[in-house]
Amino acid sequence: MNYNLSRIFPPITTPFTDEEVDLNKLINNVKKYEPRNLSGYVLFGSNGESAFLTRDEKLQIISAVREQTKKILIAGTGSDSIRDTISLTNIAAEKGANYALIITPSFFKSEMKHHTFLNYYNRVAESVMIPVIIYNVPKFTNVNIETETIIELSKHPNIVGLKESTENTSRISEIASNTPESFKVFVGTASVLFPGLISGADGGILALANIAPDECLQIYLNYIAGKNKEALELQNRMIPVNRAITTKFGVPGLKAAMDLMGYDGDNPRLPLEPLNEAQIIELKSVLRKAYLIE
Amino acid sequence: MNYNLSRIFPPITTPFTDEEVDLNKLINNVKKYEPRNLSGYVLFGSNGESAFLTRDEKLQIISAVREQTKKILIAGTGSDSIRDTISLTNIAAEKGANYALIITPSFFKSEMKHHTFLNYYNRVAESVMIPVIIYNVPKFTNVNIETETIIELSKHPNIVGLKESTENTSRISEIASNTPESFKVFVGTASVLFPGLISGADGGILALANIAPDECLQIYLNYIAGKNKEALELQNRMIPVNRAITTKFGVPGLKAAMDLMGYDGDNPRLPLEPLNEAQIIELKSVLRKAYLIE
Amino acid sequence: MNYNLSRIFPPITTPFTDEEVDLNKLINNVKKYEPRNLSGYVLFGSNGESAFLTRDEKLQIISAVREQTKKILIAGTGSDSIRDTISLTNIAAEKGANYALIITPSFFKSEMKHHTFLNYYNRVAESVMIPVIIYNVPKFTNVNIETETIIELSKHPNIVGLKESTENTSRISEIASNTPESFKVFVGTASVLFPGLISGADGGILALANIAPDECLQIYLNYIAGKNKEALELQNRMIPVNRAITTKFGVPGLKAAMDLMGYDGDNPRLPLEPLNEAQIIELKSVLRKAYLIE
Amino acid sequence: MNYNLSRIFPPITTPFTDEEVDLNKLINNVKKYEPRNLSGYVLFGSNGESAFLTRDEKLQIISAVREQTKKILIAGTGSDSIRDTISLTNIAAEKGANYALIITPSFFKSEMKHHTFLNYYNRVAESVMIPVIIYNVPKFTNVNIETETIIELSKHPNIVGLKESTENTSRISEIASNTPESFKVFVGTASVLFPGLISGADGGILALANIAPDECLQIYLNYIAGKNKEALELQNRMIPVNRAITTKFGVPGLKAAMDLMGYDGDNPRLPLEPLNEAQIIELKSVLRKAYLIE
């Protein structure tokens, strides 16, 4: 395989039928993504409802997707427990994952400081068979890993990237300019994809790529081609859509948008609930204004 | 067994030797607690570093403690995943746990509202073999379950209590006065044990009870005896100690204090680090001022 | 005058007619409060919409109320500016204010630490003609003054009290037991009046006392008489009302409740807006359940 | 005067000698800035310690600076009180201010929503003699004005711009692309100046421009010239400096850096304290690494 850890990755959602993981629907989605020029897939990231999946379900997802693609698979295998993280990462690697996306530990929030993060990531990185991508997502963890900590961690040969899911492009600038070329920085939300790329990011891992992969790729390609004006215009068109499927309506909104766009979104797993009718109407309006649906 | 789900429970810590759970040390601690009039133990709660333990380690802890005591065992079996929560709770019950302490789900913070919590707790409660105690601890989850949600959940026959780990005694007042007598409310931090009891709480699940079980019990007994002045004086003496082992120094501080008090605290598990020398000196000073050590 | 800085104070609201301070309505309210056994009034505290008042309006309010009462007047004269605070406090004193309620400075939040607060309060206290009461209200300031800072400030002869507007009774315990008898601690929200008093507070400065002064006083008197059960019952009856007029509906809700209770609440000042019809219906329901209206 | 409300403005600091505003030092600073191609100055913004200044001091500052320059003067005249804001803005206009920078009201945080902001800004804008620039700075206010609210306010003929002091360039994108050309968007912190400009901002109001005006201008000019690589490199060099004088060391750090760079920074006003020796050494190191000092 010709690894190319850059460009655009969708953190794919997990379809459920009657509360069970529906691998057929998941595969259907992957089949629709495959012809696109996406670099690969993130499996059971936040948007994959990793928090609600069992270990076995996660492993089944890797196997199922691996059969469908030769692209890069990044698995969300991190948790507060170093042991569980190492164990899940290594079995995920056996099942076909190429990289591990490891969320910052966060339970003891006030203790999550520079040294704690060094302890955690270095220990994990030295014990797993596939390279580690750090995942910073304060909106879910209420913890923010400092840029200097990431810069120090980037020296570890098995820590190869960052998904930065804040909208703070200053962090991307600073990290991208102070880490090795081999350390890949991913914009973690489509609302700052273009300014993130121009600030030094290598690509994006974007919920929006689940419903608008072509638009995400086009922003990237415009940026690469130096077409900043076109990139910005498309970026601006996507911002309200991205907000609708993330901060505004969350995973239920993302899944509803997938349904509207011809993918298999389906319901979120309990305890989450699907959007109600009024929310779907609002969502449709947002998609329509962005010319994603008619 | 004669269950009495009230009074004082320590959420016992988990000793580690070379990063491995040390059941012998854990049993040593339990043996020191057994002669006290504690009602039982909380196993792998937050202070038990549940976040860092594997499923197997948790089950070993239940078995080991169950052999030492006929008192009530409350196991911290909750996670965001309803499936994992049900599965772990039921196997914990088989190993000897009497109650399940189920932390609020919290990953998708902005979605954690009234209906989501009803979905979660009702689904869990109807599927587990032992009664459920709700665990509200915003300092770790950044989520706060509303009093009205708890009051509604208290109607479920298998939801029997609450550990309230804020210092807001208004919540305790309101919940205790609007739930059945059989629904037990536990003060979750010793800093408000006395005002919590006088506001209607039935007991306390208190990190402080790991190092000062007799003092915690004495506050409770003073309250029961109507000796409010004595209860308040002892409460006030304990407040700085409680702060030192919780908000100030966290689990590493609690474990260091256990060492100083003759228990087996030992180091926290990675990524946490033990206190440094200066911190231990400060901790000693706090314990000394409270007459807990000389 | 026989000062008695304890018991219950309402932080009275400021009525507006066509966006102008309506002193007649304000005086009407005071006349209704005067026969009650309230110890005095807080003028232009948070609930008095101090944030929206000009300096001249504040001084007019003092003069108007001073003419109606011989009770204690506490004026909310604090701001981030030490100069403005001193200047307003001293002219307020000339107009008849007996104490100054000085909110924690808060603009530069990350700088508001132990030494900064010492700088601020000591400088103010040494420069004003009336005694200072510290006002801690994190829900408005997003700043929390540490208990140890308050304890140190309590040594200043002109710093004589604290309004603690969190619901954390542990802070009240710790402060009341570590400050001189002459330093008065006021519970700042009625939701924890009883546990606050039993934790060592001397009285309450309570938004609720604007609409239910007798109930607030009765909780206090029950506590003094050792009737804890009666105090708790009344406390519990008041908690939903207190929430409705504070966290739920804010000052607009407090003013609407005053209207419903026979006082002159009237509209809040712009940019705030009065409650809408649906909110008023909900508010009525809350007052009715607490037997405050029929 | 040929107004050009774009490019770079320093929000100039206020020097104090023995706690008194030192207009001579302030003028010295302005004289050093004047030859630069700065578009003007923001007077008593956050970094001007507006929170600590009296009304008279603010007016003296306008007059003093107005005498030194024909450039644009933007005065920070906002507060929660609509009356005070209008009154101060109009007298500031008389003294020579060209624009008013009006911080979001923030005291009643939970009430600060779409309609409240519309009420506030529309009322202010229709009553003041100079155009209004909205100032969004959640790190000081703990309030965030929604992009849709700003977009709606941009329709008011007397609301002509925004200082956006978050590091979220997605907000800048969305606002800049949905407001009239005449509505100017200013990046509010130098850490995202370049990505902010490329996302559609018109200029920057930057604490950093107090100590490194030429570098800030150069980033701007590089951007205008399409030299993105050079802009980014300079941006990246400035990020650690910007952090040092804002989030890390605050106004005391900014003033210490001014001293080190040859301006009159001097001490902050009480209750703030100057940096200690260790902090100054750390600050020097940061400036040195950025080639700002030797």
Side-chain angles (χ1 to χ4, degrees), chain B residues 7-9 33 36-38 190-191 193-194 197 206-223 230-239 241-242 261 263 287-293:
Chain B
R7 296 201 172 177
I8 304 301
F9 292 77
Y33 297 136
R36 266 91 179 185
N37 206 356
L38 298 163
S191 58
L193 176 56
F194 170 59
L197 289 169
L206 308 166
L208 184 69
N210 278 290
I211 63 162
D214 297 334
E215 285 76 5
C216 293
L217 276 164
Q218 194 58 47
I219 292 175
Y220 178 85
L221 295 172
N222 282 340
Y223 159 72
E230 289 83 353
L232 182 60
E233 279 174 9
L234 187 48
Q235 165 78 81
N236 286 336
R237 183 145 64 83
M238 290 301 117
I239 284 176
V241 179
N242 189 61
M261 298 291 296
Y263 298 95
L287 296 178
R288 206 175 285 123
K289 280 182 192 158
Y291 309 116
L292 289 179
I293 60 173

Side-chain angles (χ1 to χ4, degrees), chain B residues 3-9 37-40 72 74 99 133 181 184-186 197 201-205 217 220 224:
Chain B
Y3 283 151
N4 183 4
L5 187 62
S6 64
R7 296 201 172 177
I8 304 301
F9 292 77
N37 206 356
L38 298 163
S39 302
I72 295 173
I74 303 173
Y99 294 89
I133 299 169
E181 173 61 28
K184 301 300 179 187
V185 177
F186 292 94
L197 289 169
D202 300 277
I205 297 176
L217 276 164
Y220 178 85
I224 292 290

Side-chain angles (χ1 to χ4, degrees), chain C:
Chain C
M1 196 193 311
N2 180 17
Y3 283 150
N4 182 4
L5 188 61
S6 64
R7 295 203 173 176
I8 304 301
F9 293 77
I12 64 175
T13 60
T14 308
F16 298 100
T17 295
D18 297 336
E19 291 292 313
E20 295 295 331
V21 174
D22 191 325
L23 292 175
N24 289 328
K25 288 183 176 173
L26 188 145
I27 289 169
N28 282 347
N29 288 338
V30 171
K31 284 182 175 164
K32 287 176 184 154
Y33 297 134
E34 272 295 281
R36 266 91 180 185
N37 207 355
L38 298 163
S39 301
Y41 309 100
V42 172
L43 306 182
F44 43 88
S46 301
N47 287 294
E49 292 170 81
S50 184
F52 304 147
L53 297 175
T54 67
R55 179 185 168 101
D56 284 349
E57 289 170 336
K58 291 175 187 173
L59 298 179
Q60 288 163 20
I61 288 170
I62 302 177
S63 298
V65 177
R66 183 76 290 167
E67 284 183 17
Q68 301 298 320
T69 186
K70 296 193 170 171
K71 296 186 178 179
I72 296 173
L73 296 187
I74 304 173
T77 54
S79 68
D80 272 76
S81 162
I82 288 175
R83 298 206 168 199
D84 280 346
T85 298
I86 292 169
S87 155
L88 179 59
T89 302
N90 281 332
I91 182 75
E94 287 177 22
K95 300 288 183 186
N98 306 111
Y99 294 89
L101 182 66
I102 309 275
I103 197 167
T104 55
S106 65
F107 188 76
F108 295 111
K109 297 187 192 319
S110 61
E111 318 269 345
M112 293 300 112
K113 297 169 185 162
H114 185 66
H115 281 286
T116 333
F117 285 128
L118 295 186
N119 289 342
Y120 179 88
Y121 279 106
N122 284 324
R123 178 59 61 98
V124 168
E126 74 196 15
S127 309
V128 294
M129 305 186 309
I130 50 176
V132 167
I133 299 170
I134 299 166
Y135 180 21
N136 186 48
V137 60
K139 78 170 176 171
F140 292 138
T141 61
N142 281 91
V143 151
N144 200 22
I145 182 170
E146 296 293 334
T147 51
E148 68 172 306
T149 310
I150 295 168
I151 292 165
E152 185 158 342
L153 285 169
S154 75
K155 296 171 189 164
H156 193 292
N158 205 31
I159 300 178
V160 301
L162 166 72
K163 180 185 183 200
E164 173 64 33
S165 291
T166 71
E167 291 173 306
N168 183 339
T169 48
S170 164
R171 286 176 52 92
I172 290 174
S173 270
E174 190 175 9
I175 294 163
S177 62
N178 287 285
T179 49
E181 174 61 28
S182 59
F183 187 85
K184 300 300 180 188
V185 177
F186 292 94
V187 179
T189 176
S191 58
V192 291
L193 176 55
F194 169 59
L197 290 168
I198 212 154
S199 296
D202 300 276
I205 297 176
L206 309 166
L208 185 69
N210 279 289
I211 63 161
D214 297 333
E215 285 77 5
C216 293
L217 277 164
Q218 193 59 47
I219 293 173
Y220 178 84
L221 295 172
N222 283 340
Y223 159 72
I224 292 291
K227 296 180 181 175
N228 291 340
K229 189 162 166 286
E230 289 83 353
L232 182 60
E233 278 174 9
L234 188 49
Q235 166 78 83
N236 285 336
R237 183 146 63 83
M238 289 301 116
I239 284 177
V241 178
N242 189 63
R243 180 166 51 225
I245 62 166
T246 59
T247 51
K248 188 158 198 174
F249 293 129
V251 170
L254 172 58
K255 289 188 145 182
M258 289 179 71
D259 288 338
L260 293 169
M261 299 291 296
Y263 297 96
D264 280 320
D266 290 316
N267 291 344
R269 202 173 223 181
L270 281 175
L272 295 186
E273 295 179 349
L275 297 197
N276 61 34
E277 276 307 304
Q279 292 172 317
I280 289 177
I281 288 169
E282 190 179 341
L283 178 62
K284 274 186 190 170
S285 164
V286 171
L287 296 178
R288 207 174 285 123
K289 280 182 193 157
Y291 309 116
L292 290 179
I293 60 172
E294 287 185 3

